[in-house]
Amino acid sequence: MNAVVRNLRVLRRMTAAEIAQQSVYRGAWLIFMLANICVPIISLLIWRTAIANGAQLPIDERYVTTYFVLLGFVTMATSSWMAGFLANDIRLGKLSTWMVRPASLLVGFVANNLSEKFLKLFALVPMIGIVWWIFRDSMNIPASLGRWVLFAFSIVLGAILVFTIDILIAALAFWMDDVSALVQARVIIAGVLSGSVVPLALMPEWSQGFVDHQPFRYTVSFPVEIVAGELSGGDLVAGLGIQFGYVVAAGVLARLVWAAGIRAYSAVGA
Protein backbone atom coordinates (compact mmCIF):
# COMPACT_ATOMS: atom_id res chain seq x y z
CA MET A 1 0.00 0.00 0.00
CA ASN A 2 2.86 2.39 0.84
CA ALA A 3 4.35 1.82 -2.61
CA VAL A 4 1.00 2.58 -4.26
CA VAL A 5 0.57 5.79 -2.24
CA ARG A 6 4.14 6.83 -3.05
CA ASN A 7 3.65 6.20 -6.76
CA LEU A 8 0.41 8.18 -6.74
CA ARG A 9 2.17 11.10 -5.08
CA VAL A 10 4.99 10.93 -7.60
CA LEU A 11 2.46 10.69 -10.44
CA ARG A 12 0.61 13.78 -9.18
CA ARG A 13 3.80 15.82 -8.96
CA MET A 14 5.13 14.62 -12.31
CA THR A 15 1.78 15.34 -13.99
CA ALA A 16 1.77 18.87 -12.58
CA ALA A 17 5.34 19.38 -13.81
CA GLU A 18 4.43 18.01 -17.25
CA ILE A 19 1.42 20.33 -17.49
CA ALA A 20 3.63 23.32 -16.69
CA GLN A 21 6.17 22.23 -19.29
CA GLN A 22 3.71 21.26 -22.02
CA SER A 23 1.63 24.43 -21.61
CA VAL A 24 4.39 26.24 -23.49
CA TYR A 25 3.12 24.57 -26.66
CA ARG A 26 -0.45 25.94 -26.55
CA GLY A 27 -0.45 26.78 -30.25
CA ALA A 28 0.72 23.28 -31.14
CA TRP A 29 -2.15 21.69 -29.17
CA LEU A 30 -4.62 23.88 -31.05
CA ILE A 31 -3.22 22.73 -34.40
CA PHE A 32 -3.08 19.09 -33.32
CA MET A 33 -6.68 19.07 -32.14
CA LEU A 34 -7.86 20.87 -35.27
CA ALA A 35 -6.25 18.08 -37.30
CA ASN A 36 -7.72 15.50 -34.92
CA ILE A 37 -11.29 16.68 -35.53
CA CYS A 38 -10.99 17.36 -39.28
CA VAL A 39 -10.98 13.69 -40.32
CA PRO A 40 -14.18 12.77 -38.39
CA ILE A 41 -15.93 15.86 -39.75
CA ILE A 42 -14.98 15.01 -43.32
CA SER A 43 -16.12 11.41 -42.78
CA LEU A 44 -19.36 12.68 -41.26
CA LEU A 45 -20.12 14.86 -44.28
CA ILE A 46 -19.32 12.00 -46.69
CA TRP A 47 -21.58 9.48 -44.92
CA ARG A 48 -24.41 11.99 -44.48
CA THR A 49 -24.23 12.77 -48.19
CA ALA A 50 -24.30 9.05 -49.00
CA ILE A 51 -27.40 8.55 -46.84
CA ALA A 52 -29.09 11.63 -48.32
CA ASN A 53 -28.54 10.17 -51.79
CA GLY A 54 -30.26 6.92 -50.92
CA ALA A 55 -27.43 4.71 -49.69
CA GLN A 56 -28.86 1.71 -47.82
CA LEU A 57 -26.85 1.39 -44.62
CA PRO A 58 -27.42 -0.69 -41.46
CA ILE A 59 -27.23 2.54 -39.43
CA ASP A 60 -29.22 5.75 -39.77
CA GLU A 61 -28.21 9.38 -40.07
CA ARG A 62 -28.54 10.05 -36.33
CA TYR A 63 -26.17 7.21 -35.47
CA VAL A 64 -23.63 8.37 -38.07
CA THR A 65 -23.79 11.98 -36.88
CA THR A 66 -23.46 11.14 -33.18
CA TYR A 67 -20.68 8.66 -33.89
CA PHE A 68 -18.43 11.05 -35.79
CA VAL A 69 -19.10 14.05 -33.53
CA LEU A 70 -17.91 12.02 -30.53
CA LEU A 71 -15.13 10.21 -32.39
CA GLY A 72 -12.54 12.99 -32.18
CA PHE A 73 -12.92 13.26 -28.42
CA VAL A 74 -12.84 9.50 -27.78
CA THR A 75 -9.79 8.87 -29.99
CA MET A 76 -7.90 11.61 -28.18
CA ALA A 77 -8.99 10.46 -24.72
CA THR A 78 -7.96 6.84 -25.31
CA SER A 79 -4.83 7.47 -27.39
CA SER A 80 -1.26 6.61 -26.44
CA TRP A 81 1.96 7.60 -28.19
CA MET A 82 4.34 5.91 -25.77
CA ALA A 83 5.48 2.75 -27.57
CA GLY A 84 8.08 4.29 -29.86
CA PHE A 85 9.59 6.50 -27.15
CA LEU A 86 9.70 3.72 -24.56
CA ALA A 87 11.27 1.31 -27.05
CA ASN A 88 13.99 3.87 -27.81
CA ASP A 89 14.69 4.40 -24.12
CA ILE A 90 15.15 0.65 -23.73
CA ARG A 91 17.26 0.28 -26.87
CA LEU A 92 19.53 3.27 -26.12
CA GLY A 93 20.03 2.37 -22.46
CA LYS A 94 18.16 5.39 -21.07
CA LEU A 95 16.15 3.01 -18.91
CA SER A 96 19.24 2.73 -16.69
CA THR A 97 18.78 6.23 -15.29
CA TRP A 98 15.26 5.34 -14.13
CA MET A 99 16.31 2.18 -12.36
CA VAL A 100 17.87 4.20 -9.52
CA ARG A 101 14.90 6.55 -9.16
CA PRO A 102 12.03 6.09 -6.66
CA ALA A 103 9.44 5.68 -9.42
CA SER A 104 9.17 3.54 -12.52
CA LEU A 105 9.83 4.91 -15.98
CA LEU A 106 6.22 3.98 -16.77
CA VAL A 107 5.00 6.49 -14.17
CA GLY A 108 6.74 9.19 -16.19
CA PHE A 109 4.94 8.11 -19.35
CA VAL A 110 1.60 8.01 -17.53
CA ALA A 111 2.21 11.57 -16.30
CA ASN A 112 3.08 12.70 -19.82
CA ASN A 113 -0.02 11.02 -21.22
CA LEU A 114 -2.35 12.59 -18.65
CA SER A 115 -0.85 16.06 -18.91
CA GLU A 116 -1.04 16.21 -22.70
CA LYS A 117 -4.65 15.00 -22.72
CA PHE A 118 -5.54 17.56 -20.06
CA LEU A 119 -4.15 20.39 -22.19
CA LYS A 120 -5.62 19.05 -25.42
CA LEU A 121 -9.10 19.14 -23.89
CA PHE A 122 -9.00 22.93 -23.74
CA ALA A 123 -8.56 23.07 -27.51
CA LEU A 124 -10.71 20.09 -28.48
CA VAL A 125 -13.86 20.57 -26.38
CA PRO A 126 -14.81 23.97 -27.88
CA MET A 127 -14.33 22.56 -31.39
CA ILE A 128 -16.57 19.59 -30.64
CA GLY A 129 -19.08 21.96 -29.05
CA ILE A 130 -19.31 23.93 -32.29
CA VAL A 131 -19.79 20.77 -34.36
CA TRP A 132 -22.40 19.50 -31.89
CA TRP A 133 -24.32 22.78 -32.14
CA ILE A 134 -24.38 22.58 -35.93
CA PHE A 135 -25.69 18.99 -35.97
CA ARG A 136 -27.60 18.99 -32.65
CA ASP A 137 -30.92 18.15 -34.30
CA SER A 138 -29.48 15.05 -35.95
CA MET A 139 -27.86 13.39 -32.94
CA ASN A 140 -28.75 10.76 -30.37
CA ILE A 141 -28.36 12.46 -27.00
CA PRO A 142 -29.19 10.08 -24.12
CA ALA A 143 -31.22 11.74 -21.39
CA SER A 144 -30.00 9.24 -18.79
CA LEU A 145 -27.07 10.43 -16.67
CA GLY A 146 -26.17 6.78 -16.07
CA ARG A 147 -25.37 6.23 -19.73
CA TRP A 148 -22.99 9.18 -19.74
CA VAL A 149 -21.31 7.80 -16.61
CA LEU A 150 -20.84 4.44 -18.38
CA PHE A 151 -19.52 6.33 -21.41
CA ALA A 152 -16.87 8.02 -19.23
CA PHE A 153 -16.02 4.76 -17.45
CA SER A 154 -15.63 2.95 -20.78
CA ILE A 155 -13.29 5.69 -22.03
CA VAL A 156 -11.08 5.21 -18.96
CA LEU A 157 -10.94 1.45 -19.57
CA GLY A 158 -10.21 2.04 -23.26
CA ALA A 159 -7.35 4.42 -22.41
CA ILE A 160 -5.84 1.88 -20.01
CA LEU A 161 -6.13 -0.85 -22.65
CA VAL A 162 -4.39 1.22 -25.33
CA PHE A 163 -1.64 2.25 -22.92
CA THR A 164 -1.09 -1.36 -21.86
CA ILE A 165 -0.90 -2.55 -25.47
CA ASP A 166 1.78 0.09 -26.04
CA ILE A 167 3.76 -1.27 -23.07
CA LEU A 168 3.54 -4.77 -24.54
CA ILE A 169 4.84 -3.65 -27.92
CA ALA A 170 7.57 -1.41 -26.48
CA ALA A 171 8.73 -4.15 -24.08
CA LEU A 172 9.69 -6.28 -27.08
CA ALA A 173 12.63 -3.88 -27.47
CA PHE A 174 14.28 -5.80 -24.63
CA TRP A 175 14.86 -8.59 -27.18
CA MET A 176 14.51 -6.87 -30.59
CA ASP A 177 16.70 -4.16 -32.11
CA ASP A 178 13.82 -2.28 -33.72
CA VAL A 179 10.08 -2.42 -33.00
CA SER A 180 9.11 0.60 -35.10
CA ALA A 181 7.45 -1.64 -37.71
CA LEU A 182 5.32 -3.22 -34.98
CA VAL A 183 4.39 0.22 -33.65
CA GLN A 184 3.31 1.34 -37.11
CA ALA A 185 1.42 -1.91 -37.72
CA ARG A 186 -0.46 -1.41 -34.45
CA VAL A 187 -1.47 2.10 -35.52
CA ILE A 188 -2.77 0.90 -38.90
CA ILE A 189 -4.57 -2.18 -37.58
CA ALA A 190 -6.07 -0.31 -34.64
CA GLY A 191 -7.26 2.49 -36.91
CA VAL A 192 -9.42 0.04 -38.83
CA LEU A 193 -10.48 -2.38 -36.10
CA SER A 194 -11.14 0.28 -33.47
CA GLY A 195 -13.69 2.06 -35.64
CA SER A 196 -11.61 5.21 -36.03
CA VAL A 197 -11.72 5.02 -39.83
CA VAL A 198 -15.14 3.49 -40.45
CA PRO A 199 -17.86 2.65 -37.89
CA LEU A 200 -17.67 -1.06 -37.12
CA ALA A 201 -21.42 -1.31 -37.73
CA LEU A 202 -20.61 -0.86 -41.43
CA MET A 203 -18.25 -3.83 -41.55
CA PRO A 204 -19.40 -6.84 -43.67
CA GLU A 205 -21.92 -9.04 -41.94
CA TRP A 206 -19.68 -12.11 -42.19
CA SER A 207 -17.01 -10.32 -40.11
CA GLN A 208 -19.27 -9.11 -37.30
CA GLY A 209 -18.53 -11.99 -34.94
CA PHE A 210 -14.81 -11.23 -35.02
CA VAL A 211 -15.17 -7.45 -35.21
CA ASP A 212 -17.53 -7.28 -32.21
CA HIS A 213 -15.22 -9.23 -29.91
CA GLN A 214 -11.68 -8.20 -30.91
CA PRO A 215 -9.90 -5.92 -28.39
CA PHE A 216 -9.52 -2.82 -30.55
CA ARG A 217 -13.27 -2.31 -30.66
CA TYR A 218 -13.16 -1.57 -26.94
CA THR A 219 -10.60 1.21 -27.34
CA VAL A 220 -12.78 3.55 -29.46
CA SER A 221 -15.94 2.13 -31.01
CA PHE A 222 -17.56 0.64 -27.92
CA PRO A 223 -17.45 3.84 -25.83
CA VAL A 224 -19.00 5.76 -28.74
CA GLU A 225 -21.63 3.05 -29.25
CA ILE A 226 -22.80 3.52 -25.66
CA VAL A 227 -24.07 6.96 -26.67
CA ALA A 228 -24.57 6.72 -30.43
CA GLY A 229 -26.04 3.23 -30.61
CA GLU A 230 -28.08 3.24 -27.41
CA LEU A 231 -27.02 -0.31 -26.54
CA SER A 232 -29.46 -2.34 -24.51
CA GLY A 233 -28.79 -3.12 -20.87
CA GLY A 234 -27.62 -6.64 -21.65
CA ASP A 235 -25.29 -5.45 -24.41
CA LEU A 236 -23.88 -2.79 -22.11
CA VAL A 237 -23.12 -5.25 -19.33
CA ALA A 238 -21.61 -7.78 -21.74
CA GLY A 239 -19.55 -5.11 -23.50
CA LEU A 240 -18.19 -3.62 -20.30
CA GLY A 241 -17.40 -7.11 -19.04
CA ILE A 242 -15.43 -7.94 -22.18
CA GLN A 243 -13.67 -4.58 -22.08
CA PHE A 244 -12.68 -5.04 -18.45
CA GLY A 245 -11.52 -8.58 -19.23
CA TYR A 246 -9.25 -7.30 -21.99
CA VAL A 247 -7.82 -4.67 -19.64
CA VAL A 248 -7.02 -7.28 -16.98
CA ALA A 249 -5.58 -9.78 -19.48
CA ALA A 250 -3.44 -7.15 -21.22
CA GLY A 251 -2.31 -5.77 -17.85
CA VAL A 252 -1.21 -9.18 -16.54
CA LEU A 253 0.57 -10.00 -19.81
CA ALA A 254 2.30 -6.60 -19.91
CA ARG A 255 3.46 -7.01 -16.32
CA LEU A 256 4.92 -10.44 -17.06
CA VAL A 257 6.66 -9.31 -20.25
CA TRP A 258 7.99 -6.14 -18.62
CA ALA A 259 9.32 -8.08 -15.61
CA ALA A 260 11.02 -10.61 -17.91
CA GLY A 261 12.48 -7.76 -19.96
CA ILE A 262 13.89 -6.02 -16.88
CA ARG A 263 15.61 -9.26 -15.86
CA ALA A 264 17.10 -9.59 -19.35
CA TYR A 265 18.00 -5.89 -19.66
CA SER A 266 21.65 -5.06 -20.13
CA ALA A 267 23.01 -1.60 -20.89
CA VAL A 268 25.73 0.75 -19.77
CA GLY A 269 25.02 1.57 -16.14
CA ALA A 270 22.34 -1.14 -15.78
Side-chain angles (χ1 to χ4, degrees):
M1 181 60 70
N2 290 335
V4 173
V5 173
R6 183 190 65 196
N7 282 330
L8 289 175
R9 289 175 178 171
V10 172
L11 176 61
R12 178 176 58 82
R13 293 170 182 170
M14 292 184 70
T15 302
E18 286 279 352
I19 290 174
Q21 179 181 355
Q22 297 297 335
S23 61
V24 176
Y25 306 101
R26 295 183 295 272
W29 300 139
L30 182 62
I31 295 173
F32 288 155
M33 292 303 94
L34 184 60
N36 186 75
I37 201 172
C38 278
V39 174
I41 291 176
I42 293 172
S43 298
L44 169 60
L45 296 176
I46 291 173
W47 287 108
R48 281 175 63 94
T49 300
I51 293 173
N53 284 277
Q56 299 298 315
L57 302 178
I59 52 180
D60 59 18
E61 185 183 70
R62 298 184 70 86
Y63 182 100
V64 168
T65 303
T66 309
Y67 189 96
F68 283 110
V69 169
L70 293 176
L71 185 61
F73 172 78
V74 175
T75 53
M76 184 281 293
T78 61
S79 62
S80 173
W81 45 89
M82 175 191 68
F85 295 104
L86 178 56
N88 281 335
D89 284 353
I90 295 171
R91 181 172 60 86
L92 299 177
K94 294 182 180 180
L95 182 61
S96 302
T97 61
W98 282 89
M99 298 181 74
V100 295
R101 296 185 182 184
S104 167
L105 169 65
L106 299 180
V107 175
F109 279 106
V110 172
N112 176 265
N113 189 282
L114 292 176
S115 64
E116 289 199 14
K117 288 177 179 178
F118 176 78
L119 292 171
K120 288 174 180 177
L121 281 174
F122 287 98
L124 184 61
V125 170
M127 297 179 190
I128 294 177
I130 293 171
V131 177
W132 170 81
W133 180 259
I134 294 172
F135 296 103
R136 64 188 184 281
D137 294 330
S138 302
M139 293 181 60
N140 292 325
I141 305 297
S144 170
L145 176 62
R147 190 167 288 267
W148 287 106
V149 171
L150 292 177
F151 171 69
F153 179 64
S154 183
I155 287 177
V156 172
L157 290 180
I160 296 173
L161 180 57
V162 174
F163 193 83
T164 307
I165 291 173
D166 265 14
I167 294 175
L168 274 170
I169 295 174
L172 296 178
F174 284 116
W175 300 279
M176 299 172 62
D177 291 333
D178 187 5
V179 299
S180 59
L182 291 176
V183 174
Q184 187 61 32
R186 198 275 293 175
V187 171
I188 295 173
I189 294 171
V192 176
L193 293 182
S194 69
S196 298
V197 177
V198 178
L200 297 184
L202 295 175
M203 290 293 184
E205 186 175 349
W206 56 264
S207 68
Q208 288 300 319
F210 165 74
V211 167
D212 287 347
H213 295 91
Q214 47 84 26
F216 293 110
R217 177 197 175 200
Y218 297 91
T219 62
V220 174
S221 180
F222 180 72
V224 178
E225 291 170 24
I226 293 176
V227 175
E230 298 184 348
L231 298 174
S232 66
D235 291 336
L236 273 174
V237 172
L240 288 170
I242 294 173
Q243 187 180 36
F244 184 76
Y246 273 127
V247 169
V248 172
V252 171
L253 183 58
R255 182 177 180 85
L256 293 174
V257 173
W258 182 260
I262 290 294
R263 290 194 296 269
Y265 178 68
S266 178
V268 176

